[in-house]
Amino acid sequence: MPIPPEPQHPSYAKVFLTFARNSLVRDMMFRANFLIEAVSSLSWAVMNVGFYWIIFEHANSIGAQTGWEKYEFFVFMGTTWIINSIVQAFFMPNSEEFSELIRTGGLDFAMLKPIDTQFLISLRKVAWSSLANLVLGIVIVAISLAQLASRAEDPWQFQPAMLVLYPLYIACGVAILYSLMICLAATSVWLGRNQTLYDFWFYITNFSRYPMEIYARGWGLPLLVVFTFVIPVLVVVNVPARLLAEPLSPRASWEWPLAGFTLLATLGCLCFSRWVFRTALLSYRSASS
Amino acid sequence: MSEAAALDGGRPDEKAGLTTRLVCWWTIFRIALEERLAYRGDFALGTLMRFLPIITQIFLWWAIFESIDGDLVGYSFPDMVAYYLLSMLGRAFSSMPGLASTIAKQIRDGELKKFLVQPIDLIGFFLLGRVAHKLAYYTISTLPFALVFYLCRDYFTDGWPSAYVMTMFCFSLILAFLLGFFMDLCIGLIGFWFLEVSSLLFIYMLFNFFLSGHMFPLDLLPSGIQAAVSCLPFKYLAYLPAAIFLGKIDSELLWIEMTTEVLWLVILICVARLLYGRGLRRYSGYGG
């Protein structure tokens, strides 16, 4: 077979599309299972809507003067699902497998492939069924915005800049969560097995699921600082949701600086996770081959 | 079936039989206990971590209470936090991680055969195993639980409840354990008919989480729905113990609730026995 001329770098987009297609083909082989998975994650989300619906039956807003009233908060919640479902669809199954590859020595094969190892490890599988929540998130955001736009006093107004900024900050949020996840997964090089660290991931991201103002009291302040500036999980959902829902109008003075910081934090997280990943690979010793 | 039923009933005919049986149960219990204590470090850390979501819950409710002034369906903010802590305690008794899936797996893999050829009753075996697991769990998790409750002591504004309420509370925790066990057991035994119960289990867990009061006090539900939810056995798993401790249930109602809970338990035990008996008739031991 003649050797095709050049392509020195593999086409990453093409490789990714192949991964995505393979995963979809695999998912479609077990269609009932796929459907059940999608319905399960949807019902979990619906149950959450129920919980907040009940809360808003009793309270007007989450926190006094924060502006997080029912539909503003539903925009927030929809944004949480959009971001989480993207992370769960593209990165979660792979990070789980990464720890397993380290433990079993299967990482050898990934490192031998002529493609960036982090790319290969991070995107090999796509859990398509997790995207059900993405759809639900978009629907919730759309319905809530329609409600906000049609209310009598101070209706929500569409600004063209949102079309660019909202997806941009969603991407930032996904990148920050991805970095955190890959860092945690990479630590299994040193720790062997790290089941507890996965729980840790869930518990940390748990902080990101609420408007950040709720921490701005009492002993929450140190948490607010740590989870904004050290492990920036609080900006993940807060920034895009605030941009879109505009709970305070006019916007608070700290919102734009926070948005700027988010961009920096995203870059910082990505670089840091890349560094952790490479350092982890250097310490990797194959196992059981 | 006839052989299986004879083993299943487990009636010791003579005195020696009874002693052997007790020794057998004791051994099962001890093995399960030792198995559990092997991973105590991971265990204690895991328990402490499980309290982390409480932190976000505290701040969420803090913010909500700030915007409403006053109480929410009879709960003040400290009550609400105390409720979450107590419902976690209830869950520590009533949740049975992996029970239903283990039973379903044993049915699927044919591992269940061992209960047919050995003179051990499946339900008794699993119950003893769980009691041992729970005991191991409490010995290790008492420290983290005590630490968290101590740190949060200010949220318990009424202090310790009366001895009577305390007794009822302990009693409700034990019943919660048994009820949780038999509910999970029944789901697992459905595996005789479906083989794969994981999706059913997920739906059950969702309902369990929402309707047991683990997510929020059931008093918050709109009254119509609340009446319906009250008829289900889920509320005994987390809501009732917490509500008893916080004095949300007056003493007359308390008796009715406890009696209903015992009734539910009896019903579930019968259902479990029935499912097991019927299931064994369908059972064919696949696999080696």
Side-chain angles (χ1 to χ4, degrees):
Chain A
M1 198 177 107
I3 299 164
E6 276 308 271
Q8 287 210 327
H9 298 291
S11 156
Y12 282 84
K14 251 190 201 160
V15 173
F16 173 67
L17 281 179
T18 313
F19 287 155
R21 205 182 55 227
N22 286 349
S23 306
L24 190 63
V25 167
R26 212 190 106 78
D27 275 347
M28 286 303 121
M29 273 164 68
F30 309 101
R31 250 167 263 181
N33 183 60
F34 176 80
L35 217 67
I36 288 169
E37 273 175 18
V39 170
S40 313
S41 61
L42 277 180
S43 43
W44 176 241
V46 168
M47 208 153 265
N48 258 293
V49 177
F51 173 59
Y52 288 107
W53 200 277
I54 288 166
I55 285 183
F56 282 110
E57 288 290 300
H58 297 277
N60 276 331
S61 69
I62 292 194
Q65 329 280 275
T66 52
W68 288 113
E69 285 172 24
K70 193 173 188 176
Y71 291 106
E72 279 95 346
F73 185 75
F74 279 2
V75 170
F76 187 95
M77 199 161 55
T79 310
T80 313
W81 289 336
I82 291 173
I83 292 175
N84 278 350
S85 68
I86 294 174
V87 172
Q88 274 162 18
F90 294 103
F91 303 119
M92 187 87 105
N94 298 297
S95 298
E96 267 166 10
E97 201 173 275
F98 181 36
S99 315
E100 199 57 19
L101 285 178
I102 291 169
R103 202 174 63 82
T104 56
L107 192 60
D108 298 4
F109 299 102
M111 289 172 79
L112 286 173
K113 300 272 182 345
I115 195 164
D116 183 74
T117 312
Q118 188 173 358
F119 170 81
L120 181 67
I121 293 295
S122 309
L123 286 166
R124 182 141 57 172
K125 269 194 211 160
V126 179
W128 286 98
S129 58
S130 299
L131 291 178
N133 273 7
L134 176 74
V135 177
L136 185 68
I138 292 172
V139 169
I140 290 265
V141 168
I143 292 175
S144 309
L145 286 181
Q147 289 282 348
L148 286 177
S150 62
R151 70 179 168 190
E153 60 173 290
D154 189 21
W156 179 81
Q157 276 170 343
F158 172 74
Q159 292 152 10
M162 284 173 179
L163 268 185
V164 182
L165 289 178
Y166 186 66
L168 172 72
Y169 278 102
I170 293 262
C172 286
V174 170
I176 291 173
L177 288 185
Y178 161 73
S179 309
L180 184 65
M181 193 184 264
I182 208 80
C183 283
L184 284 178
T187 52
S188 49
V189 164
W190 295 288
L191 299 177
R193 254 192 98 111
N194 59 355
Q195 204 47 56
T196 335
L197 274 175
Y198 274 108
D199 296 344
F200 198 58
W201 190 80
F202 277 105
Y203 294 141
I204 287 192
T205 50
N206 191 30
F207 281 95
S208 71
R209 267 182 250 154
Y210 305 95
M212 60 203 301
E213 293 95 325
I214 69 168
Y215 302 105
R217 49 173 66 78
W219 49 279
L221 281 170
L223 289 176
L224 184 68
V225 172
V226 167
F227 287 119
T228 307
F229 298 109
V230 185
I231 309 172
V233 287
L234 274 181
V235 298
V236 167
V237 183
N238 271 284
V239 173
R242 288 198 87 88
L243 264 170
L244 195 61
E246 220 183 330
L248 295 178
S249 78
R251 289 184 189 280
S253 57
W254 48 270
E255 287 190 23
W256 289 116
L258 188 71
F261 166 76
T262 305
L263 291 177
L264 282 180
T266 309
L267 263 178
C269 281
L270 283 175
C271 293
F272 181 73
S273 70
R274 178 83 182 161
W275 175 77
V276 169
F277 186 84
R278 301 193 78 134
T279 320
L281 284 195
L282 288 179
S283 315
Y284 169 69
R285 298 167 193 190
S286 182
S288 72
S289 44
Chain B
M1 170 60 197
S2 61
E3 210 181 85
L7 290 169
D8 172 50
R11 283 172 294 275
D13 297 329
E14 23 183 321
K15 213 176 171 204
L18 183 66
T19 325
T20 328
R21 195 159 284 274
L22 283 178
V23 171
C24 170
W25 291 134
W26 172 245
T27 315
I28 294 172
F29 175 75
R30 226 190 43 226
I31 292 172
L33 193 65
E34 272 164 21
E35 178 189 65
R36 218 31 187 212
L37 286 170
Y39 306 100
R40 47 191 172 271
D42 192 46
F43 223 42
L45 194 67
T47 314
L48 207 57
M49 295 268 248
R50 224 161 290 162
F51 283 104
L52 278 177
I54 285 269
I55 296 176
T56 47
Q57 289 289 342
I58 290 179
F59 284 108
L60 177 68
W61 285 104
W62 198 337
I64 291 169
F65 273 94
E66 209 180 65
S67 59
I68 53 171
D69 305 325
D71 286 4
L72 191 63
V73 292
Y75 287 80
S76 62
F77 169 57
D79 276 353
M80 193 58 93
V81 177
Y83 175 85
Y84 274 101
L85 289 168
L86 288 166
S87 75
M88 285 205 73
L89 192 63
R91 294 291 299 186
F93 277 82
S94 65
S95 72
M96 301 285 150
L99 177 66
S101 50
T102 310
I103 294 174
K105 186 172 174 296
Q106 296 211 344
I107 293 171
R108 201 171 52 235
D109 298 351
E111 221 182 301
L112 199 76
K113 281 199 289 286
K114 74 177 180 212
F115 295 103
L116 301 183
V117 294
Q118 290 170 358
I120 297 171
D121 171 39
L122 169 120
I123 296 179
F125 178 82
F126 276 104
L127 183 61
L128 275 178
R130 280 292 148 169
V131 172
H133 281 196
K134 288 288 174 192
L135 277 184
Y137 177 76
Y138 304 137
T139 34
I140 293 155
S141 63
T142 305
L143 265 178
F145 261 96
L147 177 72
V148 170
F149 274 75
Y150 176 74
L151 288 175
C152 298
R153 64 192 177 283
D154 291 342
Y155 292 116
F156 293 86
T157 43
D158 294 339
W160 290 96
S162 67
Y164 169 71
V165 171
M166 220 34 209
T167 320
M168 283 308 211
F169 172 65
C170 295
F171 195 47
S172 73
L173 284 179
I174 293 168
L175 280 177
F177 163 76
L178 289 170
L179 210 58
F181 174 81
F182 280 100
M183 281 167 88
D184 253 55
L185 182 73
C186 288
I187 301 281
L189 288 175
I190 292 176
F192 275 119
W193 285 268
F194 289 118
L195 292 183
E196 183 53 65
V197 292
S198 54
S199 50
L200 191 69
L201 196 62
F202 186 84
I203 295 167
Y204 163 74
M205 268 160 45
L206 269 185
F207 274 98
N208 195 333
F209 191 67
F210 201 72
L211 302 180
S212 69
H214 191 46
M215 209 170 179
F216 56 87
L218 296 178
D219 312 78
L220 287 178
L221 286 169
S223 55
I225 299 175
Q226 201 185 332
V229 170
S230 271
C231 299
L232 298 171
F234 293 108
K235 65 171 178 178
Y236 301 108
L237 302 178
Y239 168 73
L240 193 76
I244 290 177
F245 190 96
L246 293 173
K248 300 286 172 206
I249 294 176
D250 47 26
S251 47
E252 252 169 64
L253 197 64
L254 189 55
W255 275 108
I256 300 174
E257 291 283 15
M258 295 302 257
T259 320
T260 325
E261 185 168 5
V262 173
L263 272 178
W264 267 113
L265 184 60
V266 173
I267 293 172
L268 281 166
I269 291 174
C270 294
V271 171
R273 279 284 163 203
L274 192 75
L275 283 174
Y276 185 49
R278 286 284 166 94
L280 278 184
R281 273 193 230 173
R282 296 176 47 95
Y283 178 66
S284 34
Y286 301 109

PDB file of all heavy atoms in Angstrom, chain A residues 183-200:
ATOM      1  N   CYS A 183      -7.249  17.014  36.011  1.00  0.00           N
ATOM      2  CA  CYS A 183      -6.249  17.085  37.091  1.00  0.00           C
ATOM      3  C   CYS A 183      -6.515  15.984  38.119  1.00  0.00           C
ATOM      4  O   CYS A 183      -5.601  15.276  38.539  1.00  0.00           O
ATOM      5  CB  CYS A 183      -6.312  18.424  37.819  1.00  0.00           C
ATOM      6  SG  CYS A 183      -5.554  19.748  36.925  1.00  0.00           S
ATOM      7  N   LEU A 184      -7.779  15.857  38.506  1.00  0.00           N
ATOM      8  CA  LEU A 184      -8.120  14.843  39.502  1.00  0.00           C
ATOM      9  C   LEU A 184      -7.837  13.451  38.971  1.00  0.00           C
ATOM     10  O   LEU A 184      -7.312  12.594  39.676  1.00  0.00           O
ATOM     11  CB  LEU A 184      -9.588  14.962  39.903  1.00  0.00           C
ATOM     12  CG  LEU A 184      -9.912  16.118  40.830  1.00  0.00           C
ATOM     13  CD1 LEU A 184     -11.397  16.163  41.111  1.00  0.00           C
ATOM     14  CD2 LEU A 184      -9.156  15.987  42.130  1.00  0.00           C
ATOM     15  N   ALA A 185      -8.169  13.239  37.683  1.00  0.00           N
ATOM     16  CA  ALA A 185      -7.945  11.913  37.105  1.00  0.00           C
ATOM     17  C   ALA A 185      -6.449  11.621  37.038  1.00  0.00           C
ATOM     18  O   ALA A 185      -6.013  10.496  37.299  1.00  0.00           O
ATOM     19  CB  ALA A 185      -8.573  11.831  35.728  1.00  0.00           C
ATOM     20  N   ALA A 186      -5.664  12.654  36.723  1.00  0.00           N
ATOM     21  CA  ALA A 186      -4.221  12.450  36.570  1.00  0.00           C
ATOM     22  C   ALA A 186      -3.556  12.073  37.889  1.00  0.00           C
ATOM     23  O   ALA A 186      -2.530  11.391  37.901  1.00  0.00           O
ATOM     24  CB  ALA A 186      -3.576  13.702  35.997  1.00  0.00           C
ATOM     25  N   THR A 187      -4.155  12.489  38.993  1.00  0.00           N
ATOM     26  CA  THR A 187      -3.533  12.166  40.281  1.00  0.00           C
ATOM     27  C   THR A 187      -3.530  10.668  40.546  1.00  0.00           C
ATOM     28  O   THR A 187      -2.798  10.205  41.415  1.00  0.00           O
ATOM     29  CB  THR A 187      -4.257  12.842  41.458  1.00  0.00           C
ATOM     30  OG1 THR A 187      -5.626  12.534  41.362  1.00  0.00           O
ATOM     31  CG2 THR A 187      -4.038  14.322  41.470  1.00  0.00           C
ATOM     32  N   SER A 188      -4.324   9.916  39.772  1.00  0.00           N
ATOM     33  CA  SER A 188      -4.307   8.472  40.038  1.00  0.00           C
ATOM     34  C   SER A 188      -2.970   7.850  39.625  1.00  0.00           C
ATOM     35  O   SER A 188      -2.686   6.716  39.986  1.00  0.00           O
ATOM     36  CB  SER A 188      -5.485   7.770  39.381  1.00  0.00           C
ATOM     37  OG  SER A 188      -5.588   8.143  38.050  1.00  0.00           O
ATOM     38  N   VAL A 189      -2.144   8.600  38.883  1.00  0.00           N
ATOM     39  CA  VAL A 189      -0.789   8.131  38.614  1.00  0.00           C
ATOM     40  C   VAL A 189      -0.038   7.959  39.939  1.00  0.00           C
ATOM     41  O   VAL A 189       0.693   6.998  40.142  1.00  0.00           O
ATOM     42  CB  VAL A 189      -0.048   9.129  37.709  1.00  0.00           C
ATOM     43  CG1 VAL A 189       1.454   8.875  37.741  1.00  0.00           C
ATOM     44  CG2 VAL A 189      -0.545   9.015  36.294  1.00  0.00           C
ATOM     45  N   TRP A 190      -0.256   8.903  40.833  1.00  0.00           N
ATOM     46  CA  TRP A 190       0.475   8.856  42.104  1.00  0.00           C
ATOM     47  C   TRP A 190      -0.262   8.054  43.175  1.00  0.00           C
ATOM     48  O   TRP A 190       0.333   7.499  44.063  1.00  0.00           O
ATOM     49  CB  TRP A 190       0.724  10.275  42.628  1.00  0.00           C
ATOM     50  CG  TRP A 190       1.611  11.053  41.729  1.00  0.00           C
ATOM     51  CD1 TRP A 190       2.953  10.862  41.560  1.00  0.00           C
ATOM     52  CD2 TRP A 190       1.237  12.118  40.859  1.00  0.00           C
ATOM     53  NE1 TRP A 190       3.424  11.745  40.625  1.00  0.00           N
ATOM     54  CE2 TRP A 190       2.396  12.533  40.177  1.00  0.00           C
ATOM     55  CE3 TRP A 190       0.032  12.765  40.571  1.00  0.00           C
ATOM     56  CZ2 TRP A 190       2.405  13.557  39.257  1.00  0.00           C
ATOM     57  CZ3 TRP A 190       0.041  13.778  39.655  1.00  0.00           C
ATOM     58  CH2 TRP A 190       1.210  14.171  38.994  1.00  0.00           C
ATOM     59  N   LEU A 191      -1.598   8.066  43.071  1.00  0.00           N
ATOM     60  CA  LEU A 191      -2.373   7.476  44.175  1.00  0.00           C
ATOM     61  C   LEU A 191      -2.879   6.075  43.892  1.00  0.00           C
ATOM     62  O   LEU A 191      -3.468   5.451  44.748  1.00  0.00           O
ATOM     63  CB  LEU A 191      -3.578   8.366  44.505  1.00  0.00           C
ATOM     64  CG  LEU A 191      -3.223   9.774  44.965  1.00  0.00           C
ATOM     65  CD1 LEU A 191      -4.488  10.588  45.181  1.00  0.00           C
ATOM     66  CD2 LEU A 191      -2.412   9.733  46.238  1.00  0.00           C
ATOM     67  N   GLY A 192      -2.616   5.587  42.670  1.00  0.00           N
ATOM     68  CA  GLY A 192      -3.156   4.266  42.364  1.00  0.00           C
ATOM     69  C   GLY A 192      -4.622   4.359  42.032  1.00  0.00           C
ATOM     70  O   GLY A 192      -5.002   4.642  40.927  1.00  0.00           O
ATOM     71  N   ARG A 193      -5.438   4.160  42.972  1.00  0.00           N
ATOM     72  CA  ARG A 193      -6.888   4.260  42.743  1.00  0.00           C
ATOM     73  C   ARG A 193      -7.416   5.483  43.444  1.00  0.00           C
ATOM     74  O   ARG A 193      -6.998   5.792  44.539  1.00  0.00           O
ATOM     75  CB  ARG A 193      -7.566   3.039  43.337  1.00  0.00           C
ATOM     76  CG  ARG A 193      -8.028   2.065  42.318  1.00  0.00           C
ATOM     77  CD  ARG A 193      -8.921   1.097  42.988  1.00  0.00           C
ATOM     78  NE  ARG A 193     -10.284   1.517  42.754  1.00  0.00           N
ATOM     79  CZ  ARG A 193     -11.097   0.818  41.981  1.00  0.00           C
ATOM     80  NH1 ARG A 193     -10.707  -0.273  41.427  1.00  0.00           N
ATOM     81  NH2 ARG A 193     -12.318   1.226  41.792  1.00  0.00           N
ATOM     82  N   ASN A 194      -8.360   6.146  42.815  1.00  0.00           N
ATOM     83  CA  ASN A 194      -8.864   7.328  43.510  1.00  0.00           C
ATOM     84  C   ASN A 194     -10.366   7.465  43.392  1.00  0.00           C
ATOM     85  O   ASN A 194     -10.883   8.404  42.834  1.00  0.00           O
ATOM     86  CB  ASN A 194      -8.174   8.586  43.028  1.00  0.00           C
ATOM     87  CG  ASN A 194      -8.359   8.787  41.558  1.00  0.00           C
ATOM     88  OD1 ASN A 194      -8.927   7.941  40.896  1.00  0.00           O
ATOM     89  ND2 ASN A 194      -7.932   9.899  41.058  1.00  0.00           N
ATOM     90  N   GLN A 195     -11.056   6.518  43.929  1.00  0.00           N
ATOM     91  CA  GLN A 195     -12.504   6.586  43.909  1.00  0.00           C
ATOM     92  C   GLN A 195     -12.992   7.806  44.697  1.00  0.00           C
ATOM     93  O   GLN A 195     -13.879   8.515  44.286  1.00  0.00           O
ATOM     94  CB  GLN A 195     -13.085   5.303  44.513  1.00  0.00           C
ATOM     95  CG  GLN A 195     -14.480   5.004  44.040  1.00  0.00           C
ATOM     96  CD  GLN A 195     -14.615   5.127  42.530  1.00  0.00           C
ATOM     97  OE1 GLN A 195     -13.889   4.486  41.782  1.00  0.00           O
ATOM     98  NE2 GLN A 195     -15.514   5.970  42.075  1.00  0.00           N
ATOM     99  N   THR A 196     -12.336   8.051  45.829  1.00  0.00           N
ATOM    100  CA  THR A 196     -12.771   9.157  46.675  1.00  0.00           C
ATOM    101  C   THR A 196     -12.606  10.487  45.953  1.00  0.00           C
ATOM    102  O   THR A 196     -13.363  11.415  46.168  1.00  0.00           O
ATOM    103  CB  THR A 196     -11.977   9.181  47.979  1.00  0.00           C
ATOM    104  OG1 THR A 196     -11.514   7.867  48.245  1.00  0.00           O
ATOM    105  CG2 THR A 196     -12.820   9.639  49.129  1.00  0.00           C
ATOM    106  N   LEU A 197     -11.608  10.562  45.084  1.00  0.00           N
ATOM    107  CA  LEU A 197     -11.388  11.820  44.377  1.00  0.00           C
ATOM    108  C   LEU A 197     -12.542  12.150  43.441  1.00  0.00           C
ATOM    109  O   LEU A 197     -12.859  13.308  43.229  1.00  0.00           O
ATOM    110  CB  LEU A 197     -10.082  11.744  43.592  1.00  0.00           C
ATOM    111  CG  LEU A 197      -8.872  12.116  44.428  1.00  0.00           C
ATOM    112  CD1 LEU A 197      -7.602  11.912  43.639  1.00  0.00           C
ATOM    113  CD2 LEU A 197      -8.972  13.562  44.869  1.00  0.00           C
ATOM    114  N   TYR A 198     -13.173  11.107  42.906  1.00  0.00           N
ATOM    115  CA  TYR A 198     -14.337  11.379  42.067  1.00  0.00           C
ATOM    116  C   TYR A 198     -15.462  11.953  42.873  1.00  0.00           C
ATOM    117  O   TYR A 198     -16.155  12.869  42.437  1.00  0.00           O
ATOM    118  CB  TYR A 198     -14.777  10.129  41.331  1.00  0.00           C
ATOM    119  CG  TYR A 198     -13.989  10.024  40.096  1.00  0.00           C
ATOM    120  CD1 TYR A 198     -13.016   9.085  39.937  1.00  0.00           C
ATOM    121  CD2 TYR A 198     -14.173  10.991  39.112  1.00  0.00           C
ATOM    122  CE1 TYR A 198     -12.236   9.063  38.817  1.00  0.00           C
ATOM    123  CE2 TYR A 198     -13.393  10.985  37.993  1.00  0.00           C
ATOM    124  CZ  TYR A 198     -12.428  10.014  37.845  1.00  0.00           C
ATOM    125  OH  TYR A 198     -11.647  10.021  36.742  1.00  0.00           O
ATOM    126  N   ASP A 199     -15.642  11.388  44.064  1.00  0.00           N
ATOM    127  CA  ASP A 199     -16.656  11.964  44.950  1.00  0.00           C
ATOM    128  C   ASP A 199     -16.305  13.417  45.205  1.00  0.00           C
ATOM    129  O   ASP A 199     -17.160  14.292  45.194  1.00  0.00           O
ATOM    130  CB  ASP A 199     -16.694  11.215  46.284  1.00  0.00           C
ATOM    131  CG  ASP A 199     -17.128   9.783  46.081  1.00  0.00           C
ATOM    132  OD1 ASP A 199     -17.672   9.491  45.016  1.00  0.00           O
ATOM    133  OD2 ASP A 199     -16.897   8.964  46.985  1.00  0.00           O
ATOM    134  N   PHE A 200     -15.017  13.641  45.393  1.00  0.00           N
ATOM    135  CA  PHE A 200     -14.527  14.992  45.642  1.00  0.00           C
ATOM    136  C   PHE A 200     -14.931  15.920  44.502  1.00  0.00           C
ATOM    137  O   PHE A 200     -15.362  17.045  44.726  1.00  0.00           O
ATOM    138  CB  PHE A 200     -13.006  14.915  45.771  1.00  0.00           C
ATOM    139  CG  PHE A 200     -12.394  16.099  46.439  1.00  0.00           C
ATOM    140  CD1 PHE A 200     -12.782  16.467  47.709  1.00  0.00           C
ATOM    141  CD2 PHE A 200     -11.407  16.825  45.807  1.00  0.00           C
ATOM    142  CE1 PHE A 200     -12.211  17.555  48.328  1.00  0.00           C
ATOM    143  CE2 PHE A 200     -10.832  17.909  46.420  1.00  0.00           C
ATOM    144  CZ  PHE A 200     -11.236  18.278  47.674  1.00  0.00           C
TER     145      PHE A 200
END
